[in-house]
Amino acid sequence: MSHVFPTYNRLDIELVSGKGTEVQDQNGTSYLDFISGIAVCNLGHSPSVVKEAVEKQMETLWHVSNLFTITKQEEAATLLASASGLDAVFFCNSGAEANEAAIKLAKKHTGKTKILTFKQSFHGRTFATMSATGQEKIHSGFGPLLPTFEYLPYNDEEKLSEVKDGDVAAIMLEVIQGEGGVNPGTLSFLRAVEAKCRELDALLIIDEVQTGAGRTGLPFAYQHYSLNPDIVTAAKGLGSGFPVGAMLGKKELIPSFSQGTHGSTFGGNPLAMVAAKATMETIFEEEFLKDVQHKSEYFMEQLTLKLQEYRIVQEVKGIGFMIGISFDKDVSDIIAELRHNGLLTLPAGAHVIRLLPPLTVTKGELDQALHILVHTIKQHQSAEVC
Ligand SMILES: *Cc1c(COP(=O)(O)O)cnc(C)c1O
């Protein structure tokens, strides 16, 4: 028997090596990886800048407690602050932990109890972040949940306008719902959420765990909408595979996270921080992000154009390299066929294929992926008619 709890629906493929966009399995079969460890390997697999930074740090000091000064943590925080316009950072090890910090800070700072989140959201698997997540299938069997959270329908300005409650500490949301189906928020909805926060004197928390670290062609996805969040959380892509989470906040919030209010043993340790620094120094460069924008615009255009003739395809959506293709049917068979044809993709809900290539993907690899997608969808559709 396996001695690992069966919490994941695993494939029996083991990926044993990877460089850039390409990975190889235990039998030597190569794939184009458009999963990137779920938006983690934004610089592709084994990026040499990160490898060199981590190797160098391994020669000197691996871990030191936050009882001591950690200059590399200050430097990583400065990179996040200048990319976001926010002022202070708390480092942890995952997306859920970053959201936990955000939830605690919002309650502490406002003295209020409720946090509004959205249906089809995903904020993590810890008790608080699971409670924040607006999906029944994720809550199932774990009740009663924390009473902190209430769920509103996403992209629904009317329901939002009905919120009058004075006890709201924060509204928390993803600007593109990732796990919930790659659903981009509309500009007017997101602006209305921000206005509602100001009206209620509540904080705006944006969960950029999946959309941050350059995934959408800007450091953070909220920047496409010119939003002004009080708190931003990030994780997945921050460390190129090294576990790094971060909660960023405005300077007004600094006194509320004073000594002794929050902490983490591993959060912000030197190894994690050099991985994060090397990753962010590369991704947050204007030239790098411009290149992501150009490549992703080309890819989205081509996808939309080439898939429009297929009846089973409903929509191509997303921003930058966070892309969803929605179908009128369950996509698990198509994902298996794509994999068989050499392209790794993942679902976002039952009807959406999600594409998260490394941001370093080449135009040649994008063309190859387009070819596999079109060919596979075409075959799938004609097989269905027979
Ligand atoms: C993945 C994800 C999380 C949870 O991150 P973990 O590192 O798995 O805890 C939270 N929010 C969003 C939007 C995510 O995509």
Side-chain angles (χ1 to χ4, degrees):
M1 65 169 282
S2 165
H3 293 289
V4 177
F5 273 110
T7 56
Y8 304 100
N9 179 16
R10 287 182 202 276
L11 297 165
D12 51 18
I13 291 175
E14 180 157 13
L15 300 176
V16 293
S17 61
K19 188 77 199 156
T21 309
E22 251 186 47
V23 287
Q24 285 80 36
D25 72 11
Q26 74 271 37
N27 304 317
T29 305
S30 283
Y31 305 87
L32 280 179
D33 182 7
F34 275 39
I35 299 176
S36 304
I38 316 192
V40 168
C41 306
N42 286 6
L43 292 177
H45 291 277
S46 344
S48 45
V49 275
V50 182
K51 178 173 177 278
E52 280 156 24
V54 171
E55 276 175 355
K56 188 158 164 247
Q57 186 62 39
M58 287 189 86
E59 297 292 329
T60 52
L61 184 69
W62 294 16
H63 175 81
V64 62
S65 148
N66 283 301
L67 294 168
F68 293 90
T69 296
I70 304 176
T71 301
K72 283 163 182 124
Q73 194 179 116
E74 296 292 336
E75 292 167 355
T78 301
L79 283 167
L80 280 166
S82 68
S84 65
L86 293 169
D87 303 296
V89 182
F90 176 84
F91 285 105
C92 49
N93 315 289
S94 68
E97 283 177 82
N99 287 334
E100 287 279 341
I103 292 161
K104 282 180 70 174
L105 178 56
K107 288 189 127 186
K108 186 111 193 315
H109 184 76
T110 61
K112 298 196 265 184
T113 62
K114 265 195 220 163
I115 295 178
L116 307 181
T117 63
F118 293 88
K119 291 181 180 151
Q120 300 311 121
S121 60
F122 184 79
H123 299 297
R125 299 290 198 154
T126 61
F127 211 82
T129 62
M130 171 190 71
S131 297
T133 293
Q135 297 192 49
E136 271 167 32
K137 67 168 197 235
I138 284 173
H139 299 158
S140 174
F142 296 111
L145 303 176
L146 290 184
T148 306
F149 302 97
E150 286 178 18
Y151 320 109
L152 295 168
Y154 194 69
N155 272 341
D156 186 335
E157 285 174 60
E158 203 172 307
K159 280 283 181 320
L160 181 72
S161 71
E162 289 164 15
V163 174
K164 295 268 182 303
D165 200 312
D167 197 27
V168 177
I171 304 181
M172 174 164 160
L173 83 171
E174 301 151 88
V175 295
I176 308 170
Q177 291 187 325
E179 303 303 310
V182 190
N183 308 317
T186 64
L187 178 63
S188 74
F189 170 71
L190 295 172
R191 292 266 169 88
V193 169
E194 182 170 314
K196 182 56 83 176
C197 288
R198 305 304 165 229
E199 177 196 323
L200 300 175
D201 203 14
L203 302 177
L204 174 59
I205 303 174
I206 299 189
D207 179 344
E208 294 263 4
V209 170
Q210 190 158 158
T211 49
R215 175 56 44 195
T216 66
L218 288 177
F220 298 97
Y222 71 83
Q223 295 168 328
H224 291 282
Y225 302 88
S226 305
L227 299 172
N228 181 18
D230 301 288
I231 296 177
V232 170
T233 57
K236 290 190 168 90
L238 282 184
S240 293
F242 216 95
V244 181
M247 182 209 54
L248 293 62
K250 282 188 174 167
K251 59 174 170 303
E252 301 86 275
L253 306 178
I254 291 172
S256 302
F257 246 15
S258 56
Q259 266 178 39
T261 51
H262 199 47
S264 164
T265 297
F266 292 126
N269 93 359
L271 274 183
M273 291 298 97
V274 295
K277 271 185 61 187
T279 303
M280 290 190 285
E281 279 164 356
T282 309
I283 291 178
F284 294 164
E285 271 297 317
E286 201 173 317
E287 283 305 303
F288 183 92
L289 291 170
K290 281 249 154 63
D291 183 54
V292 174
Q293 291 163 15
H294 291 148
K295 288 183 302 193
S296 61
E297 274 161 28
Y298 165 78
F299 188 61
M300 280 285 259
E301 258 170 42
Q302 290 293 309
L303 259 187
T304 310
L305 190 74
K306 295 196 161 137
L307 295 182
Q308 67 188 1
E309 67 180 274
Y310 299 103
R311 176 182 42 77
I312 57 173
V313 176
Q314 293 187 320
E315 195 189 358
V316 177
K317 53 188 180 172
I319 307 178
F321 279 131
M322 177 143 174
I323 300 171
I325 310 172
S326 64
F327 288 79
D328 64 359
K329 60 193 292 291
D330 187 285
V331 293
S332 40
D333 292 357
I334 307 175
I335 286 175
E337 288 157 27
L338 287 168
R339 189 168 59 240
H340 185 75
N341 294 331
L343 181 64
L344 303 181
T345 63
L346 75 165
H351 292 103
V352 177
I353 294 179
R354 187 168 21 158
L355 305 176
L356 302 166
L359 307 180
T360 51
V361 66
T362 65
K363 182 151 175 302
E365 289 163 344
L366 290 172
D367 286 335
Q368 225 177 312
L370 275 167
H371 178 79
I372 297 171
L373 280 159
V374 172
H375 169 80
T376 306
I377 290 168
K378 184 176 179 179
Q379 286 223 321
H380 190 88
Q381 180 166 302
S382 42
E384 217 184 24
V385 174
C386 299

